[in-house]
Amino acid sequence: MPQLDRIIIFTQIFWLFVIFSTLYAILTHFFLPLILKSFKSRRLILESNSKETNDLINKIKKKHVSLQDLLLESFLQVENHLIKNLVDSKFENFNTWVQAIDEKIAKACIDQELYCNTHLLESIILFPRTPLI
């Protein structure tokens, strides 16, 4: 069998060794530094992007807190203004005002009970009965 001839096997092993060692030298000398450079640049890009996102998140949190404080201040001012105006100007008519509101609420509750809620009725899905064949 020519595949197992000892003379041919030595040359095949020699060329195998030469080709693989040449391929190994080319890969480690030319391509491995490019691959390592690419990995390093990607790592640096990821680090810089994560740092930027953390900075943006911190800025957004600070703005959110300041906005909440501003809104709370504004709500307190509006509340104080409304209380001051309602108590000062409507205090003499307060009892009649409360009684009128109570009457309107009672009328709305009675109408709700008597005539039902149309939104509730519209939200009920009705399917037609299928005829028995």
Side-chain angles (χ1 to χ4, degrees), residues 42-93:
R42 287 181 183 187
R43 183 177 49 87
L44 291 175
I45 288 171
L46 285 175
E47 287 176 359
S48 67
N49 284 344
S50 67
K51 182 181 176 186
E52 287 179 18
T53 54
N54 287 337
D55 291 342
L56 287 175
I57 287 172
N58 289 336
K59 286 180 183 178
I60 288 172
K61 285 181 181 178
K62 287 179 184 177
K63 286 182 180 181
H64 184 70
V65 167
S66 65
L67 181 65
Q68 281 182 337
D69 292 341
L70 182 65
L71 281 174
L72 184 62
E73 265 182 48
S74 299
F75 285 143
L76 289 175
Q77 288 176 357
V78 167
E79 182 183 21
N80 290 336
H81 181 70
L82 285 176
I83 289 173
K84 180 182 171 189
N85 286 341
L86 286 176
V87 169
D88 290 346
S89 65
K90 303 286 183 177
F91 189 69
E92 60 274 352
N93 298 329

Side-chain angles (χ1 to χ4, degrees), residues 91-105:
F91 189 69
E92 60 274 352
N93 298 329
F94 185 71
N95 290 332
T96 57
W97 184 63
V98 170
Q99 187 176 8
I101 290 177
D102 286 341
E103 288 174 3
K104 287 181 181 180
I105 291 174

Side-chain angles (χ1 to χ4, degrees), residues 8-20:
I8 296 175
I9 288 178
F10 176 72
T11 58
Q12 288 177 350
I13 292 174
F14 172 77
W15 285 113
L16 179 73
F17 178 73
V18 169
I19 290 173
F20 276 121

